[in-house]
Amino acid sequence: MLKNIPFEVGPNTSAIHAGEEPDPVTRASAPNIVMSTTFITEADAGFSVEGMSEDAGWTYTRWGNPTVHQLEEKIAALEGAGSAVAFGSGMSAISALLFHTLASGDHAIVSDVAYAALSEMTNEMLPRLGVLISKVNTSDLSAVKNAVTSKTRLIYLETPCNPILRLTDIEAVAGIAHNAGAKLAVDSTFATPAATQPLLLGADYVVHSLTKYLGGHGDALGGIIAGRKEDLAGLRKSTAIRLGGVLSPFNAWLIMRGIATFPLRMRAHAENAAKVAVFLENHPKVTRVIYPGLPSHPQYELACRQMKNFSGMITFQVEDGPSMAKVIAERLRIIHYAVSLGHHRSLIFYLPSEDLLKTSFKLDTQEQQESWKYFAGKGIFRFSVGLEDADDLIRDLEIALK
Ligand SMILES: *Cc1c(COP(=O)(O)O)cnc(C)c1O
């Protein structure tokens, strides 16, 4: 329940009102941006973070800031979480989560296909620090079960995963994690809370790159971890405060402005993506389309069960991807040929399959390689369908694919 509202409210109301209170001095309706790094404290407030209580006043912006706090409350409300801690980027949130939950000698199971920087970090940096990592196709429940050891502390997955849109059954993996005494963390950047609330399905932590759908406008990097209040109080101390990597209040304010329209935008993203996906599926030059909202998605049944909104991410394949990428990058007039996703502007980018296997993903078994090939083929166009008119996006693609 939101503060000051005596009844349960829906996601639109939460997106607009959660975390916000009118300024008591000016009565301003919109949130202020508090850029101050320092706050005047009582002489007996103490200096140690260790003794800091969650409801202590503001001291220093790395410890906590009123504007950033509003954003944290908003995300916690949208995810059904006890609290949330914001970071300067999605990767900053992810690395904080891994540093907080894992120590030398621990074992973690990590999605074998996931955001590239996370994959690369868990291939190199964490093993160097003595953390054992198993890369597993988390959509294969028996593979997850088989990877569990007595040292497993964390299972980390993405659904739908970047870039191939393969899904994982969160509830089932939460069961496996908890049986093993491990925690489950879910990167829900592609799904967003409009589709899925991983904590309500049993996950212990949910991570977002706020840079994507939640911010939604391609003008502010940010990241966040949501979960139980008691877990996050410790996490804030060990990571945000001690490792740094916190979010600027200005970015928090921009991202909150984006979140106000987030549930509406997600409906429009999904509606546009569905139209574009059908167009692509019927296009003679397109050999494969993967979109969780299409009955042709290999896990359509799971998508319907786990996603209330199919989001705006599509992948598609053509005969000769690399040369088509050159052609469409030149011809597209509305859709930007660019990385990133989740913006109001449509973005498209070609990802060659072999290159990603060399730089980012470690696929040890034949099953893992087959699953990759099944979703990624020789390469995919990752298409973040924006909020322009669907007919205009289709026209732009029609001309580019000719
Ligand atoms: C973009 C992205 C990230 C990283 O977020 P940044 O804000 O760019 O650091 C993590 N996970 C997923 C699924 C992403 O798409």
Side-chain angles (χ1 to χ4, degrees), residues 253-271:
W253 184 86
L254 275 175
I255 292 164
M256 276 198 282
R257 184 194 238 261
I259 292 174
T261 55
F262 155 76
L264 288 174
R265 284 190 285 106
M266 291 318 295
R267 255 175 271 160
H269 276 296
E271 208 173 282

Side-chain angles (χ1 to χ4, degrees), residues 144-378:
V144 178
K145 265 185 216 141
N146 291 336
V148 168
T149 75
S150 62
K151 302 257 191 267
T152 307
R153 295 287 169 271
L154 182 73
I155 301 182
Y156 183 99
L157 65 87
E158 254 178 55
T159 181
C161 76
N162 190 356
I164 58 174
L165 305 180
R166 192 174 64 193
L167 311 182
T168 291
D169 186 331
I170 296 170
E171 207 166 7
V173 177
I176 299 170
H178 297 154
N179 272 339
K183 303 265 191 182
L184 173 64
V186 175
D187 181 336
S188 194
T189 300
F190 272 40
T192 85
T196 309
Q197 290 165 299
L199 301 174
L200 305 187
L201 296 173
D204 301 283
Y205 298 100
V206 57
V207 183
H208 287 284
S209 168
L210 299 170
T211 317
K212 313 295 169 54
Y213 286 108
L214 284 157
H217 296 78
D219 50 14
L221 286 175
I224 203 153
I225 307 169
R228 285 179 208 94
K229 209 172 171 124
E230 60 274 23
D231 291 339
L232 289 199
L235 184 143
R236 185 186 299 281
K237 284 179 193 164
S238 72
T239 62
I241 296 177
R242 296 203 175 117
L243 295 179
V246 295
L247 185 66
S248 156
F250 184 67
N251 274 17
W253 184 86
L254 275 175
I255 292 164
M256 276 198 282
R257 184 194 238 261
I259 292 174
T261 55
F262 155 76
L264 288 174
R265 284 190 285 106
M266 291 318 295
R267 255 175 271 160
H269 276 296
E271 208 173 282
N272 272 2
K275 286 184 190 155
V276 171
V278 168
F279 161 76
L280 287 169
E281 212 163 39
N282 291 316
H283 195 284
K285 287 208 174 142
V286 175
T287 53
R288 179 99 194 262
V289 180
I290 295 183
Y291 178 61
L294 283 180
S296 59
H297 190 287
Q299 299 158 293
Y300 182 62
E301 181 273 328
L302 175 59
C304 293
R305 179 151 51 85
Q306 191 166 273
M307 301 178 77
K308 278 186 291 210
N309 168 293
F310 295 122
S311 200
M313 297 305 298
I314 294 175
T315 73
F316 64 92
Q317 298 167 31
V318 300
E319 251 348 300
D320 182 2
S323 55
M324 182 61 89
K326 282 202 192 92
V327 172
I328 74 166
E330 225 164 76
R331 288 190 189 159
L332 288 170
R333 287 293 169 265
I334 297 170
I335 302 161
H336 287 180
Y337 190 85
V339 296
S340 201
L341 56 108
H343 306 171
H344 55 330
R345 293 178 198 86
S346 289
L347 305 171
I348 198 166
F349 203 73
Y350 183 69
L351 302 160
S353 175
E354 282 301 318
D355 289 17
L356 284 170
L357 291 183
K358 277 189 212 119
T359 58
S360 308
F361 306 134
K362 279 215 272 194
L363 306 179
D364 295 326
T365 69
Q366 194 171 349
E367 284 86 359
Q368 284 174 295
Q369 284 157 19
E370 274 165 16
S371 177
W372 168 261
K373 210 176 265 168
Y374 185 59
F375 279 86
K378 290 190 188 125

